Amino acid sequence: LCPTNTPKKVLVLLILIISSGQDTVTQPTGDVTAAEGDTVTLNCTFETTYSSPTLFWYKQEENEFPKYMLKCFSKSVDHAPEIQKDRFHAAIKEKSVPLKIQMLQLSDSAVYYCALQPTVTGNTTTLYKNLWSKDNTILHNIH
């Protein structure tokens, strides 16, 4: 028999700030801690001169490169094939593009960040600069 009050496992999601030139993307939430099965929303606000911006969400697991999750256009969302559409939701709402993750799983523990098109592809200096913390130690995923 399983005990009825088995503790839930806790996961921590860490999000970052990415900016380039006049266009900025800010993720003000910081670390998010939640229990397995919970729902969380990771906030992302942006400023841009583009009239029809495209926003991307990426997930970076420990010791891995960032992986594309989804991109949001003004009226639609395109998910990567391996992303569960029933658990990961995002949509552009004025100057924000929050990512809602439902039915959290331990495998969701990662660093999440959003980016504004054009992304930092081809300009890795900006990306790598933002992946380091203020005291010059690399940011680690927390599980």
Side-chain angles (χ1 to χ4, degrees):
L1 297 173
C2 295
T4 56
N5 58 355
T6 303
K8 292 182 178 181
K9 296 179 180 175
V10 175
L11 55 113
V12 177
L13 310 174
L14 177 66
I15 55 179
L16 302 172
I17 298 171
I18 305 290
S19 68
S20 62
Q22 295 176 332
D23 297 329
T24 60
V25 176
T26 306
Q27 297 174 246
T29 310
D31 291 357
V32 175
T33 304
E36 194 173 20
D38 284 355
T39 296
V40 296
T41 300
L42 306 179
N43 295 312
C44 174
T45 58
F46 62 92
E47 291 292 330
T48 183
T49 55
Y50 294 103
S51 57
S52 296
T54 301
L55 277 292
F56 296 81
W57 275 99
Y58 293 88
K59 175 182 180 180
Q60 185 174 16
E61 296 178 89
E62 191 171 9
N63 298 320
E64 296 289 333
F65 291 106
K67 292 179 185 168
Y68 162 75
M69 293 177 61
L70 56 86
K71 63 181 169 181
C72 297
F73 307 97
S74 60
K75 303 272 187 219
S76 64
V77 178
D78 180 41
H79 290 78
E82 65 276 8
I83 298 299
Q84 298 170 318
K85 294 179 185 179
D86 62 327
R87 293 199 319 112
F88 295 89
H89 305 275
I92 296 175
K93 299 173 184 175
E94 295 183 16
K95 296 288 185 181
S96 70
V97 61
L99 175 66
K100 183 178 182 180
I101 309 173
Q102 297 177 305
M103 300 173 287
L104 281 171
Q105 301 171 4
L106 285 175
S107 60
D108 296 329
S109 294
V111 176
Y112 291 82
Y113 61 95
C114 62
L116 177 67
Q117 189 175 29
T119 63
V120 294
T121 303
N123 180 9
T124 54
T125 304
T126 302
L127 174 62
Y128 294 133
K129 181 181 120 192
N130 284 287
L131 290 176
W132 289 81
S133 63
K134 290 178 184 175
D135 63 354
N136 289 329
T137 59
I138 196 157
L139 294 170
H140 295 281
N141 297 320
I142 304 168
H143 297 274

Coordinates of all heavy atoms in Angstrom, one line a residue, residues 22-116:
Q22 N 17.9 48.1 -29.2 CA 16.7 48.8 -28.8 C 15.6 47.8 -28.4 O 14.7 48.1 -27.6 CB 16.1 49.7 -29.9 CG 17.1 50.9 -30.2 CD 16.5 51.7 -31.4 OE1 15.8 51.2 -32.2 NE2 16.9 52.9 -31.4
D23 N 15.6 46.6 -28.9 CA 14.7 45.6 -28.6 C 15.1 44.9 -27.3 O 16.2 44.5 -27.1 CB 14.5 44.6 -29.7 CG 14.1 45.2 -31.0 OD1 13.3 46.2 -30.9 OD2 14.5 44.7 -32.0
T24 N 14.1 44.7 -26.4 CA 14.5 44.0 -25.1 C 13.4 43.0 -24.8 O 12.2 43.1 -25.1 CB 14.5 45.1 -23.9 OG1 13.3 45.7 -23.8 CG2 15.6 46.1 -24.1
V25 N 13.9 42.0 -24.1 CA 13.0 40.9 -23.6 C 13.3 40.8 -22.1 O 14.5 40.6 -21.7 CB 13.2 39.6 -24.3 CG1 12.4 38.5 -23.7 CG2 12.9 39.7 -25.8
T26 N 12.3 40.9 -21.2 CA 12.6 40.8 -19.8 C 11.7 39.7 -19.2 O 10.5 39.7 -19.5 CB 12.2 42.2 -19.1 OG1 13.0 43.2 -19.8 CG2 12.6 42.1 -17.6
Q27 N 12.3 38.9 -18.3 CA 11.6 37.9 -17.6 C 11.7 38.2 -16.1 O 12.6 37.7 -15.5 CB 12.2 36.5 -18.0 CG 12.0 36.2 -19.5 CD 12.7 34.9 -19.9 OE1 13.6 34.9 -20.6 NE2 12.2 33.8 -19.4
P28 N 10.7 38.9 -15.6 CA 10.8 39.4 -14.3 C 10.6 38.5 -13.1 O 10.9 38.8 -12.0 CB 9.8 40.5 -14.2 CG 8.7 40.0 -15.2 CD 9.5 39.3 -16.3
T29 N 10.2 37.3 -13.4 CA 9.8 36.4 -12.3 C 11.0 35.8 -11.5 O 10.8 35.6 -10.3 CB 8.9 35.2 -12.9 OG1 7.9 35.7 -13.7 CG2 8.3 34.3 -11.8
G30 N 12.1 35.6 -12.2 CA 13.2 35.0 -11.5 C 13.0 33.5 -11.3 O 12.3 32.9 -12.1
D31 N 13.5 33.0 -10.1 CA 13.3 31.5 -9.9 C 11.9 31.2 -9.5 O 11.2 32.0 -8.8 CB 14.2 31.1 -8.7 CG 15.7 31.1 -9.0 OD1 16.0 31.4 -10.1 OD2 16.5 30.9 -8.1
V32 N 11.4 30.1 -10.0 CA 10.0 29.7 -9.7 C 10.2 28.3 -9.1 O 10.8 27.4 -9.7 CB 9.2 29.6 -11.0 CG1 7.8 29.0 -10.7 CG2 9.1 31.0 -11.6
T33 N 9.6 28.1 -8.0 CA 9.6 26.7 -7.3 C 8.1 26.3 -7.3 O 7.2 27.0 -6.9 CB 10.1 26.8 -5.9 OG1 11.4 27.4 -6.0 CG2 10.2 25.4 -5.3
A34 N 7.9 25.0 -7.7 CA 6.6 24.5 -7.7 C 6.7 23.0 -7.5 O 7.7 22.4 -7.6 CB 5.9 24.7 -9.1
A35 N 5.5 22.4 -7.2 CA 5.5 20.9 -7.0 C 5.0 20.2 -8.2 O 4.3 20.8 -9.1 CB 4.5 20.6 -5.8
E36 N 5.4 18.9 -8.3 CA 5.0 18.1 -9.4 C 3.5 18.1 -9.5 O 2.8 18.0 -8.5 CB 5.5 16.7 -9.1 CG 5.5 15.8 -10.3 CD 6.2 14.4 -10.0 OE1 6.4 14.1 -8.9 OE2 6.6 13.8 -11.0
G37 N 3.0 18.3 -10.7 CA 1.5 18.3 -10.9 C 0.9 19.7 -10.9 O -0.2 19.9 -11.4
D38 N 1.7 20.7 -10.4 CA 1.2 22.1 -10.4 C 1.2 22.7 -11.7 O 1.7 22.1 -12.7 CB 2.1 22.9 -9.4 CG 1.8 22.7 -8.0 OD1 0.9 21.9 -7.6 OD2 2.6 23.2 -7.2
T39 N 0.7 23.9 -11.8 CA 0.7 24.8 -13.0 C 1.5 26.0 -12.7 O 1.3 26.6 -11.6 CB -0.7 25.2 -13.4 OG1 -1.4 24.0 -13.8 CG2 -0.7 26.1 -14.6
V40 N 2.4 26.4 -13.5 CA 3.1 27.7 -13.4 C 3.0 28.5 -14.6 O 2.8 28.0 -15.7 CB 4.6 27.4 -13.0 CG1 4.8 26.8 -11.7 CG2 5.4 26.7 -14.1
T41 N 3.2 29.8 -14.4 CA 3.3 30.7 -15.6 C 4.6 31.5 -15.5 O 4.8 32.1 -14.5 CB 2.1 31.7 -15.6 OG1 0.9 30.9 -15.7 CG2 2.2 32.6 -16.8
L42 N 5.4 31.4 -16.5 CA 6.7 32.1 -16.6 C 6.4 33.4 -17.4 O 6.0 33.3 -18.6 CB 7.7 31.3 -17.2 CG 8.0 29.9 -16.6 CD1 9.1 29.2 -17.4 CD2 8.3 30.1 -15.1
N43 N 6.7 34.5 -16.8 CA 6.4 35.8 -17.5 C 7.5 36.3 -18.4 O 8.7 36.0 -18.1 CB 6.0 36.9 -16.5 CG 4.8 36.6 -15.7 OD1 3.8 36.2 -16.3 ND2 4.8 36.7 -14.4
C44 N 7.1 37.0 -19.4 CA 8.1 37.5 -20.4 C 7.5 38.8 -21.0 O 6.4 38.7 -21.6 CB 8.4 36.5 -21.4 SG 9.5 37.2 -22.7
T45 N 8.1 39.9 -20.8 CA 7.6 41.1 -21.4 C 8.7 41.6 -22.4 O 9.9 41.2 -22.3 CB 7.4 42.2 -20.4 OG1 8.6 42.5 -19.7 CG2 6.3 41.9 -19.4
F46 N 8.3 42.4 -23.4 CA 9.2 42.8 -24.4 C 8.9 44.2 -24.9 O 7.7 44.7 -24.8 CB 9.2 41.8 -25.6 CG 7.9 41.7 -26.3 CD1 7.6 42.4 -27.4 CD2 6.9 40.8 -25.9 CE1 6.3 42.3 -28.1 CE2 5.7 40.6 -26.5 CZ 5.4 41.4 -27.6
E47 N 9.9 44.8 -25.5 CA 9.8 46.1 -26.2 C 10.4 45.9 -27.5 O 11.5 45.3 -27.6 CB 10.5 47.2 -25.4 CG 9.8 47.6 -24.1 CD 8.5 48.3 -24.3 OE1 8.3 48.9 -25.3 OE2 7.6 48.1 -23.4
T48 N 9.8 46.4 -28.6 CA 10.3 46.2 -29.9 C 9.8 47.3 -30.8 O 8.7 47.9 -30.6 CB 10.0 44.8 -30.5 OG1 10.7 44.7 -31.8 CG2 8.5 44.6 -30.7
T49 N 10.5 47.6 -31.9 CA 10.1 48.5 -32.9 C 9.3 47.8 -34.0 O 8.7 48.4 -34.9 CB 11.3 49.3 -33.5 OG1 12.2 48.3 -34.0 CG2 11.9 50.2 -32.5
Y50 N 9.3 46.4 -34.0 CA 8.6 45.6 -35.0 C 7.1 45.7 -34.8 O 6.6 45.6 -33.7 CB 9.0 44.2 -34.9 CG 10.5 43.9 -35.3 CD1 11.4 43.7 -34.3 CD2 10.9 44.0 -36.6 CE1 12.8 43.5 -34.6 CE2 12.2 43.7 -37.0 CZ 13.1 43.5 -36.0 OH 14.4 43.3 -36.3
S51 N 6.4 45.9 -35.9 CA 4.9 46.0 -35.7 C 4.2 44.6 -35.5 O 3.2 44.5 -35.0 CB 4.3 46.6 -37.0 OG 4.7 45.9 -38.2
S52 N 4.9 43.5 -36.0 CA 4.3 42.2 -35.9 C 5.5 41.3 -35.3 O 6.1 40.5 -36.1 CB 3.8 41.6 -37.2 OG 2.7 42.4 -37.6
P53 N 5.7 41.4 -34.0 CA 6.9 40.6 -33.5 C 6.6 39.1 -33.4 O 5.5 38.7 -33.4 CB 7.0 41.2 -32.1 CG 5.7 41.6 -31.7 CD 5.1 42.1 -33.0
T54 N 7.7 38.3 -33.5 CA 7.7 36.9 -33.2 C 8.5 36.6 -32.0 O 9.6 37.0 -31.9 CB 8.2 36.1 -34.4 OG1 7.5 36.4 -35.6 CG2 8.2 34.6 -34.2
L55 N 7.9 35.9 -31.0 CA 8.6 35.6 -29.8 C 8.8 34.1 -29.7 O 7.9 33.3 -30.1 CB 7.7 36.1 -28.6 CG 7.8 37.5 -28.1 CD1 9.2 37.8 -27.5 CD2 7.4 38.5 -29.2
F56 N 10.0 33.7 -29.1 CA 10.3 32.3 -29.0 C 10.5 32.0 -27.5 O 11.0 32.8 -26.8 CB 11.7 32.1 -29.7 CG 11.6 32.3 -31.2 CD1 11.7 33.6 -31.7 CD2 11.5 31.2 -32.1 CE1 11.7 33.8 -33.1 CE2 11.5 31.4 -33.4 CZ 11.6 32.7 -34.0
W57 N 10.2 30.7 -27.2 CA 10.5 30.2 -25.9 C 11.5 29.0 -26.1 O 11.3 28.2 -27.0 CB 9.3 29.7 -25.1 CG 8.6 30.8 -24.4 CD1 7.5 31.4 -24.8 CD2 8.9 31.3 -23.1 NE1 7.1 32.4 -23.8 CE2 8.0 32.3 -22.8 CE3 9.9 31.0 -22.2 CZ2 8.0 33.0 -21.6 CZ3 10.0 31.7 -21.0 CH2 9.1 32.7 -20.7
Y58 N 12.5 29.0 -25.2 CA 13.6 28.0 -25.3 C 13.7 27.3 -23.9 O 13.4 28.0 -22.9 CB 14.9 28.5 -25.6 CG 15.0 29.1 -27.0 CD1 14.6 30.4 -27.3 CD2 15.4 28.3 -28.1 CE1 14.7 30.9 -28.6 CE2 15.5 28.8 -29.4 CZ 15.1 30.1 -29.6 OH 15.2 30.6 -30.9
K59 N 14.1 26.1 -23.9 CA 14.3 25.3 -22.6 C 15.8 24.8 -22.6 O 16.2 24.2 -23.6 CB 13.4 24.1 -22.5 CG 13.6 23.2 -21.3 CD 12.6 22.1 -21.4 CE 12.8 21.1 -20.2 NZ 11.9 20.0 -20.2
Q60 N 16.5 25.1 -21.6 CA 17.9 24.6 -21.4 C 18.0 23.7 -20.2 O 17.9 24.2 -19.1 CB 18.8 25.8 -21.4 CG 20.3 25.3 -21.4 CD 21.3 26.4 -21.4 OE1 20.9 27.6 -21.2 NE2 22.5 26.1 -21.8
E61 N 18.2 22.4 -20.5 CA 18.4 21.5 -19.4 C 19.9 21.5 -19.0 O 20.7 21.9 -19.8 CB 17.9 20.1 -19.8 CG 16.4 20.1 -20.1 CD 15.9 18.8 -20.6 OE1 15.6 18.0 -19.7 OE2 15.9 18.6 -21.8
E62 N 20.2 20.9 -17.9 CA 21.5 20.9 -17.3 C 22.5 20.3 -18.3 O 22.2 19.2 -18.9 CB 21.6 20.2 -16.0 CG 22.9 20.3 -15.3 CD 22.8 19.8 -13.9 OE1 21.8 19.1 -13.5 OE2 23.8 20.0 -13.1
N63 N 23.6 20.9 -18.6 CA 24.7 20.5 -19.5 C 24.2 20.3 -20.9 O 24.8 19.4 -21.6 CB 25.3 19.2 -19.0 CG 26.0 19.3 -17.6 OD1 26.6 20.3 -17.3 ND2 25.7 18.4 -16.7
E64 N 23.2 21.0 -21.3 CA 22.7 20.9 -22.7 C 22.6 22.3 -23.3 O 22.7 23.3 -22.6 CB 21.2 20.3 -22.7 CG 21.1 18.9 -22.2 CD 21.7 17.9 -23.1 OE1 21.7 18.2 -24.4 OE2 22.2 16.8 -22.7
F65 N 22.5 22.3 -24.6 CA 22.3 23.6 -25.4 C 20.8 23.9 -25.2 O 20.0 23.1 -25.0 CB 22.6 23.4 -26.8 CG 24.1 23.2 -27.1 CD1 24.6 22.0 -27.4 CD2 25.0 24.3 -27.0 CE1 26.0 21.8 -27.7 CE2 26.3 24.2 -27.2 CZ 26.8 22.9 -27.6
P66 N 20.5 25.2 -25.4 CA 19.1 25.6 -25.4 C 18.3 24.9 -26.5 O 18.9 24.8 -27.6 CB 19.1 27.1 -25.6 CG 20.5 27.5 -25.2 CD 21.4 26.4 -25.5
K67 N 17.1 24.5 -26.3 CA 16.3 23.8 -27.3 C 15.1 24.6 -27.5 O 14.4 25.1 -26.6 CB 15.9 22.4 -26.8 CG 17.1 21.5 -26.8 CD 16.7 20.1 -26.3 CE 17.9 19.2 -26.1 NZ 17.6 18.0 -25.4
Y68 N 14.8 24.8 -28.8 CA 13.6 25.5 -29.2 C 12.3 24.8 -28.7 O 12.2 23.6 -28.9 CB 13.6 25.7 -30.7 CG 12.2 26.0 -31.4 CD1 11.7 27.3 -31.3 CD2 11.5 25.0 -32.0 CE1 10.5 27.6 -31.8 CE2 10.3 25.3 -32.6 CZ 9.8 26.6 -32.5 OH 8.6 26.9 -33.1
M69 N 11.4 25.5 -28.1 CA 10.1 25.0 -27.7 C 8.9 25.4 -28.6 O 8.2 24.6 -29.0 CB 9.8 25.4 -26.3 CG 10.7 24.9 -25.2 SD 10.3 25.5 -23.6 CE 8.6 24.9 -23.4
L70 N 8.8 26.7 -28.7 CA 7.7 27.2 -29.5 C 7.9 28.7 -29.9 O 8.8 29.3 -29.4 CB 6.4 27.1 -28.7 CG 6.3 27.8 -27.3 CD1 5.9 29.2 -27.4 CD2 5.3 27.0 -26.4
K71 N 7.2 29.1 -30.9 CA 7.2 30.5 -31.3 C 5.8 31.0 -31.4 O 4.9 30.3 -31.8 CB 8.0 30.7 -32.6 CG 7.5 30.1 -33.8 CD 8.4 30.4 -35.0 CE 8.0 29.6 -36.2 NZ 8.9 29.8 -37.3
C72 N 5.6 32.3 -31.0 CA 4.3 32.9 -31.0 C 4.3 34.1 -32.1 O 5.2 34.9 -32.0 CB 4.0 33.5 -29.7 SG 3.9 32.3 -28.4
F73 N 3.3 34.1 -32.9 CA 3.1 35.1 -33.8 C 1.9 35.9 -33.2 O 1.4 35.6 -32.2 CB 2.7 34.6 -35.2 CG 3.7 33.6 -35.8 CD1 3.5 32.3 -35.6 CD2 4.8 34.1 -36.4 CE1 4.4 31.4 -36.1 CE2 5.7 33.2 -36.9 CZ 5.5 31.8 -36.8
S74 N 1.4 37.0 -33.9 CA 0.4 37.8 -33.4 C -0.9 37.0 -33.1 O -1.6 37.2 -32.2 CB 0.1 38.9 -34.3 OG -0.3 38.5 -35.6
K75 N -1.2 36.0 -34.0 CA -2.5 35.3 -33.8 C -2.3 33.7 -33.7 O -3.3 33.0 -33.6 CB -3.4 35.5 -35.0 CG -3.7 37.0 -35.2 CD -4.9 37.4 -34.4 CE -5.3 38.8 -34.8 NZ -5.7 39.6 -33.8
S76 N -1.1 33.2 -33.7 CA -0.9 31.8 -33.7 C 0.4 31.4 -33.0 O 1.2 32.2 -32.7 CB -0.9 31.2 -35.1 OG 0.2 31.7 -35.8
V77 N 0.5 30.1 -32.7 CA 1.6 29.5 -32.0 C 2.1 28.3 -32.7 O 1.2 27.5 -33.2 CB 1.3 29.1 -30.5 CG1 2.4 28.5 -29.8 CG2 0.8 30.3 -29.8
D78 N 3.4 28.1 -32.9 CA 4.0 27.0 -33.5 C 4.8 26.2 -32.5 O 5.8 26.8 -32.0 CB 4.8 27.4 -34.7 CG 5.4 26.2 -35.5 OD1 4.8 25.2 -35.6 OD2 6.6 26.4 -35.9
H79 N 4.5 25.0 -32.2 CA 5.2 24.2 -31.2 C 6.3 23.3 -31.9 O 6.0 22.8 -33.0 CB 4.3 23.3 -30.4 CG 3.4 24.0 -29.5 ND1 2.2 24.7 -29.9 CD2 3.4 24.1 -28.1 CE1 1.6 25.2 -28.8 NE2 2.3 24.9 -27.7
A80 N 7.4 23.1 -31.2 CA 8.3 22.0 -31.7 C 7.6 20.7 -31.6 O 6.8 20.5 -30.7 CB 9.6 22.1 -30.8
P81 N 8.0 19.8 -32.5 CA 7.2 18.5 -32.5 C 7.2 17.7 -31.2 O 6.2 17.1 -30.9 CB 8.0 17.7 -33.6 CG 8.7 18.7 -34.4 CD 9.0 19.8 -33.5
E82 N 8.3 17.8 -30.4 CA 8.3 17.1 -29.1 C 7.6 17.8 -28.0 O 7.6 17.2 -26.9 CB 9.8 16.7 -28.8 CG 10.6 17.9 -28.4 CD 11.3 18.6 -29.6 OE1 10.9 18.3 -30.8 OE2 12.1 19.5 -29.4
I83 N 7.2 19.0 -28.2 CA 6.5 19.7 -27.1 C 5.0 19.3 -27.0 O 4.3 19.4 -28.0 CB 6.7 21.2 -27.3 CG1 8.1 21.6 -27.3 CG2 5.9 22.0 -26.3 CD1 8.9 21.4 -26.0
Q84 N 4.6 19.0 -25.8 CA 3.2 18.6 -25.5 C 2.3 19.8 -25.5 O 2.4 20.6 -24.6 CB 3.1 17.8 -24.2 CG 3.9 16.6 -24.2 CD 4.0 16.0 -22.8 OE1 4.1 16.7 -21.8 NE2 3.9 14.7 -22.7
K85 N 1.5 20.0 -26.6 CA 0.6 21.1 -26.7 C -0.4 21.2 -25.6 O -0.8 22.3 -25.2 CB -0.1 21.1 -28.0 CG 0.8 21.3 -29.2 CD 0.1 21.2 -30.5 CE 1.0 21.2 -31.7 NZ 0.3 21.1 -33.0
D86 N -0.7 20.1 -25.0 CA -1.7 20.2 -23.9 C -1.1 20.6 -22.6 O -1.8 21.0 -21.6 CB -2.4 18.8 -23.7 CG -1.4 17.7 -23.3 OD1 -0.2 17.8 -23.8 OD2 -1.7 16.8 -22.6
R87 N 0.2 20.7 -22.5 CA 0.9 21.2 -21.2 C 1.6 22.5 -21.4 O 1.7 23.2 -20.4 CB 1.9 20.1 -20.8 CG 1.3 18.8 -20.3 CD 2.2 18.0 -19.5 NE 3.6 17.9 -19.9 CZ 4.6 18.5 -19.1 NH1 4.4 19.1 -18.0 NH2 5.9 18.4 -19.6
F88 N 2.0 22.9 -22.6 CA 2.7 24.1 -22.8 C 1.9 25.1 -23.6 O 1.6 24.8 -24.8 CB 4.1 23.8 -23.4 CG 5.0 23.0 -22.6 CD1 5.0 21.6 -22.6 CD2 5.9 23.6 -21.7 CE1 5.8 20.9 -21.8 CE2 6.8 22.9 -20.9 CZ 6.7 21.5 -21.0
H89 N 1.6 26.3 -23.1 CA 0.8 27.2 -23.8 C 1.4 28.6 -23.7 O 2.0 29.0 -22.7 CB -0.6 27.4 -23.1 CG -1.3 26.1 -23.0 ND1 -2.1 25.6 -24.0 CD2 -1.4 25.2 -22.0 CE1 -2.6 24.4 -23.6 NE2 -2.2 24.1 -22.4
A90 N 1.4 29.3 -24.8 CA 1.9 30.7 -24.9 C 1.1 31.5 -25.9 O 0.7 30.9 -26.9 CB 3.4 30.7 -25.2
A91 N 1.0 32.8 -25.7 CA 0.4 33.6 -26.7 C 0.8 35.1 -26.4 O 1.0 35.4 -25.3 CB -1.2 33.5 -26.6
I92 N 0.9 35.8 -27.5 CA 1.3 37.2 -27.3 C 0.1 38.0 -26.8 O -1.0 37.9 -27.5 CB 1.8 37.8 -28.6 CG1 3.1 37.1 -29.0 CG2 2.1 39.3 -28.5 CD1 3.7 37.5 -30.4
K93 N 0.3 38.8 -25.8 CA -0.8 39.6 -25.2 C -0.2 41.0 -25.0 O 0.5 41.2 -24.0 CB -1.3 39.0 -23.9 CG -1.9 37.6 -24.0 CD -2.2 37.1 -22.6 CE -2.7 35.6 -22.8 NZ -2.9 35.0 -21.5
E94 N -0.5 41.9 -25.9 CA 0.1 43.2 -25.9 C 1.6 43.1 -25.9 O 2.2 42.7 -26.9 CB -0.4 44.1 -24.8 CG -1.9 44.3 -24.9 CD -2.5 45.2 -23.8 OE1 -1.7 45.9 -23.1 OE2 -3.7 45.2 -23.7
K95 N 2.3 43.5 -24.8 CA 3.8 43.5 -24.8 C 4.3 42.3 -23.9 O 5.3 42.4 -23.3 CB 4.3 44.8 -24.2 CG 4.0 46.0 -25.1 CD 4.8 45.9 -26.3 CE 4.6 47.2 -27.2 NZ 5.5 47.1 -28.4
S96 N 3.5 41.2 -23.8 CA 4.0 40.1 -23.0 C 3.7 38.8 -23.8 O 2.8 38.7 -24.6 CB 3.4 40.1 -21.6 OG 2.0 39.8 -21.7
V97 N 4.4 37.7 -23.4 CA 4.2 36.4 -24.0 C 4.5 35.4 -22.9 O 5.5 34.7 -22.8 CB 5.1 36.2 -25.2 CG1 6.5 36.3 -24.9 CG2 4.7 34.9 -25.9
P98 N 3.5 35.3 -21.9 CA 3.7 34.3 -20.8 C 3.7 32.9 -21.3 O 2.9 32.5 -22.2 CB 2.5 34.6 -19.8 CG 1.5 35.3 -20.7 CD 2.3 36.0 -21.8
L99 N 4.5 32.0 -20.6 CA 4.5 30.6 -20.9 C 3.8 29.9 -19.7 O 4.3 30.0 -18.6 CB 5.9 30.1 -21.1 CG 6.1 28.6 -21.3 CD1 5.5 28.1 -22.6 CD2 7.6 28.2 -21.2
K100 N 2.7 29.2 -20.0 CA 2.0 28.4 -19.0 C 2.4 27.0 -19.1 O 2.2 26.4 -20.2 CB 0.5 28.7 -19.1 CG -0.3 28.0 -18.1 CD -1.8 28.3 -18.3 CE -2.7 27.7 -17.3 NZ -4.1 28.1 -17.5
I101 N 2.9 26.4 -18.0 CA 3.2 24.9 -18.0 C 2.2 24.3 -17.1 O 2.2 24.6 -15.9 CB 4.7 24.7 -17.6 CG1 5.6 25.5 -18.5 CG2 5.0 23.2 -17.8 CD1 7.1 25.5 -18.0
Q102 N 1.5 23.3 -17.6 CA 0.5 22.6 -16.7 C 1.0 21.2 -16.4 O 1.9 20.7 -17.1 CB -0.8 22.5 -17.5 CG -1.5 23.9 -17.7 CD -2.8 23.7 -18.5 OE1 -2.8 23.1 -19.6 NE2 -3.8 24.3 -17.9
M103 N 0.5 20.6 -15.3 CA 0.8 19.3 -14.9 C 2.3 19.1 -14.9 O 2.9 18.2 -15.6 CB 0.2 18.2 -15.9 CG -1.3 18.3 -15.9 SD -2.1 17.2 -17.2 CE -1.7 18.1 -18.7
L104 N 3.0 19.9 -14.1 CA 4.4 19.9 -14.0 C 5.0 18.5 -13.8 O 4.5 17.8 -13.0 CB 4.9 20.9 -12.9 CG 4.9 22.3 -13.3 CD1 5.2 23.2 -12.0 CD2 5.9 22.7 -14.3
Q105 N 6.1 18.3 -14.4 CA 6.9 17.0 -14.3 C 8.3 17.4 -13.9 O 8.8 18.5 -14.2 CB 6.9 16.2 -15.6 CG 5.5 15.9 -16.1 CD 5.5 15.3 -17.5 OE1 6.6 15.0 -18.1 NE2 4.3 15.0 -18.0
L106 N 9.0 16.4 -13.2 CA 10.4 16.7 -12.8 C 11.2 17.0 -14.1 O 12.1 17.8 -14.0 CB 11.0 15.5 -12.1 CG 10.5 15.3 -10.7 CD1 11.1 14.1 -10.1 CD2 10.9 16.5 -9.8
S107 N 10.9 16.5 -15.2 CA 11.7 16.7 -16.4 C 11.5 18.2 -16.9 O 12.2 18.6 -17.8 CB 11.3 15.7 -17.5 OG 9.9 15.9 -17.8
D108 N 10.5 18.9 -16.3 CA 10.4 20.3 -16.7 C 11.4 21.2 -16.0 O 11.5 22.4 -16.3 CB 9.0 20.8 -16.4 CG 7.9 20.1 -17.2 OD1 8.2 19.7 -18.3 OD2 6.8 19.9 -16.6
S109 N 12.1 20.7 -15.0 CA 13.1 21.5 -14.3 C 14.2 21.9 -15.3 O 14.9 21.1 -15.9 CB 13.8 20.7 -13.2 OG 12.9 20.4 -12.2
A110 N 14.4 23.2 -15.5 CA 15.3 23.7 -16.5 C 15.4 25.2 -16.4 O 14.7 25.8 -15.6 CB 14.8 23.3 -17.9
V111 N 16.3 25.8 -17.3 CA 16.3 27.2 -17.5 C 15.4 27.5 -18.7 O 15.6 26.9 -19.7 CB 17.7 27.7 -17.7 CG1 17.7 29.2 -18.0 CG2 18.6 27.4 -16.5
Y112 N 14.5 28.4 -18.5 CA 13.6 28.8 -19.6 C 13.9 30.3 -20.0 O 14.0 31.1 -19.1 CB 12.1 28.7 -19.2 CG 11.7 27.3 -19.1 CD1 11.9 26.6 -17.9 CD2 11.0 26.6 -20.1 CE1 11.5 25.3 -17.7 CE2 10.6 25.3 -19.9 CZ 10.9 24.6 -18.7 OH 10.5 23.3 -18.6
Y113 N 13.9 30.6 -21.3 CA 14.0 32.0 -21.6 C 13.3 32.2 -22.9 O 13.1 31.4 -23.8 CB 15.5 32.4 -21.7 CG 16.4 31.7 -22.7 CD1 16.6 32.3 -23.9 CD2 17.0 30.6 -22.3 CE1 17.4 31.6 -24.8 CE2 17.9 29.9 -23.2 CZ 18.1 30.5 -24.5 OH 18.9 29.8 -25.3
C114 N 12.8 33.5 -23.1 CA 12.2 33.9 -24.3 C 13.1 34.8 -25.1 O 14.0 35.4 -24.5 CB 10.8 34.5 -24.0 SG 10.8 36.0 -23.1
A115 N 12.9 34.9 -26.4 CA 13.7 35.7 -27.3 C 12.8 36.3 -28.3 O 11.8 35.7 -28.7 CB 14.8 34.9 -27.9
L116 N 13.2 37.5 -28.7 CA 12.4 38.2 -29.7 C 13.1 38.1 -31.1 O 14.4 38.2 -31.1 CB 12.4 39.7 -29.3 CG 11.8 40.7 -30.2 CD1 10.3 40.5 -30.3 CD2 12.0 42.1 -29.6

